[in-house]
Amino acid sequence: MPEVKPEVKHTFQEDDLKLLLAANSHLGARNCNAPMKKYIWTRRQEGAHVINVGKTWEKLQLAARIIVAIENPQDVVVIGLTQNSQRAVFKYAQHTGASYIGGRYTPGTFSNQIQKRYQEPRLIVCSDPYVDHQAIKESALANVPVIAFCDADSPLRFVDVAIPCNNKGRLSVALMWWLLAREVNYLRGSLSRSEPWEVVVDLFLYREEKKEDEEELVAPSEAKEEKKEEPTGTAGLFKNIEAAEDNWDEAKTKLSAGFTEAGDPLAATAAPVAPAPVTVGAEGSWGAPAPAPAEGTWAENGSGGGAAGPIGVQGSWADS
């Protein structure tokens, strides 16, 4: 019979253990879910559960072997919806060739075939089962196995392989994804275990945007003039009134000096212009002079009127 060689298990390296302890990957939550008790080593006086790091390493190797067993790397979908895991998921996909979903998971990605982003993965890897519950539920409906980084209080429903670790800390999340990516590359043969990986853990870390210093050293000649803010409310109203009064006083001064606001001399100092002669038009037109009043009408007595009244012509209505 052929001799069966025993399986060589890669022992836990001291450097990796130091990294896990430095990133607090062994410190779990204060609450503990019942299925996660087998991964808990002890509990601190402050209430935090301490995760067994040896079991973390064993599950990490198991997850890496499952990922390597899939021929097409793009059939593995990694999901990171939390802020600390978005960059780590992107870097993992970049170095292993997997597909990734970061930031927000669109419902129906694994179950709705009409959707544009519909995918049919063979394996999904989640950062937090509590946050990624929608993706895990849809993967269960499609019979897709699930690997997840689980804390002490994480639900294990529909999770096939749970990697116990601290999945909330910024350093711990980045380190776990970095270790998983390195182990996958080791098993694929793209990296040698005798040589360290050139990619550092810092690239998997989420970096917060730092605000620039408010005080900038700028030369006086290059300093930008700050715009004066116009006062609003009652102060702005009184300021506008005062400005209008000042302008009105200037206009009065210019007018008294004989100049307009544009600086032109007034036309009042010029010689008077003679009126245009009135032309007499043809007879019957509007320009003809008015005819004299007929004899015997009321206009003969003048415009004063008087008590006697108008004197009519013989035979008229005023004769009687």
Side-chain angles (χ1 to χ4, degrees):
M1 294 181 63
E3 184 180 357
V4 178
K5 295 182 180 180
E7 183 181 358
V8 179
K9 293 185 178 181
H10 301 287
T11 57
F12 204 180
Q13 300 294 332
E14 184 178 356
D15 295 339
D16 298 336
L17 177 60
K18 290 181 180 179
L19 288 175
L20 288 173
L21 296 178
N24 293 330
S25 299
H26 63 292
L27 298 180
R30 294 189 176 184
N31 298 329
C32 182
N33 209 1
M36 290 294 297
K37 286 185 178 180
K38 56 185 176 181
Y39 302 113
I40 303 301
W41 181 61
T42 185
R43 189 176 186 180
R44 289 186 172 184
Q45 293 182 356
E46 60 188 23
H49 291 83
V50 180
I51 299 173
N52 191 343
V53 185
K55 293 185 178 181
T56 300
W57 182 255
E58 292 178 1
K59 284 302 188 75
L60 192 68
Q61 286 186 334
L62 176 61
R65 294 182 181 184
I66 295 173
I67 294 173
V68 173
I70 297 176
E71 298 176 357
N72 187 7
Q74 294 183 353
D75 290 339
V76 180
V77 178
V78 292
I79 302 174
L81 306 184
T82 60
Q83 194 174 30
N84 294 332
S85 62
Q86 293 179 14
R87 183 179 179 87
V89 163
F90 171 73
K91 286 296 181 180
Y92 175 87
Q94 182 180 2
H95 292 292
T96 60
S99 304
Y100 77 96
I101 299 175
R104 182 183 182 275
Y105 176 80
T106 304
T109 304
F110 300 151
S111 60
N112 188 2
Q113 298 180 359
I114 305 176
Q115 196 177 93
K116 293 183 179 180
R117 295 185 178 182
Y118 175 72
Q119 299 181 14
E120 292 180 332
R122 295 186 59 187
L123 177 68
I124 67 170
V125 185
C126 299
S127 299
D128 191 347
Y130 185 78
V131 180
D132 307 332
H133 63 92
Q134 182 67 25
I136 294 176
K137 184 177 179 180
E138 292 184 7
S139 64
L141 296 175
N143 294 328
V144 178
V146 178
I147 299 174
F149 294 100
C150 300
D151 206 341
D153 58 348
S154 298
L156 298 184
R157 190 181 182 185
F158 302 135
V159 176
D160 300 293
V161 179
I163 304 175
C165 65
N166 179 9
N167 60 2
K168 299 178 179 64
R170 183 173 66 95
L171 300 176
S172 177
V173 170
L175 178 62
M176 295 305 299
W177 281 105
W178 181 80
L179 290 173
L180 183 60
R182 188 190 67 173
E183 191 66 23
V184 168
N185 290 328
Y186 281 159
L187 295 177
R188 286 177 178 172
S190 56
L191 293 176
S192 176
R193 292 187 181 273
S194 60
E195 298 178 0
W197 195 17
E198 297 178 355
V199 180
V200 294
V201 193
D202 300 349
L203 296 178
F204 286 69
L205 286 173
Y206 168 75
R207 299 180 181 179
E208 298 179 357
E209 297 180 359
K210 295 182 179 180
K211 296 181 179 179
E212 299 179 358
D213 298 336
E214 297 180 358
E215 300 178 358
E216 297 179 357
L217 300 177
V218 183
S221 59
E222 298 179 358
K224 297 181 180 179
E225 297 181 359
E226 298 181 356
K227 295 182 179 181
K228 297 181 180 180
E229 297 181 357
E230 297 183 358
T232 57
T234 309
L237 179 62
F238 286 127
K239 186 175 181 179
N240 296 334
I241 293 175
E242 293 176 359
E245 292 179 354
D246 296 340
N247 296 336
W248 176 248
D249 293 339
E250 293 179 1
K252 286 169 52 178
T253 306
K254 291 180 180 180
L255 291 173
S256 62
F259 292 88
T260 60
E261 293 183 3
D264 298 329
L266 291 174
T269 58
V273 181
V278 179
T279 58
V280 180
E283 186 178 356
S285 64
W286 63 271
E295 185 179 357
T297 59
W298 60 272
E300 285 183 346
N301 295 337
S303 60
I311 301 174
V313 189
Q314 184 177 6
S316 63
W317 62 272
D319 212 24
S320 58

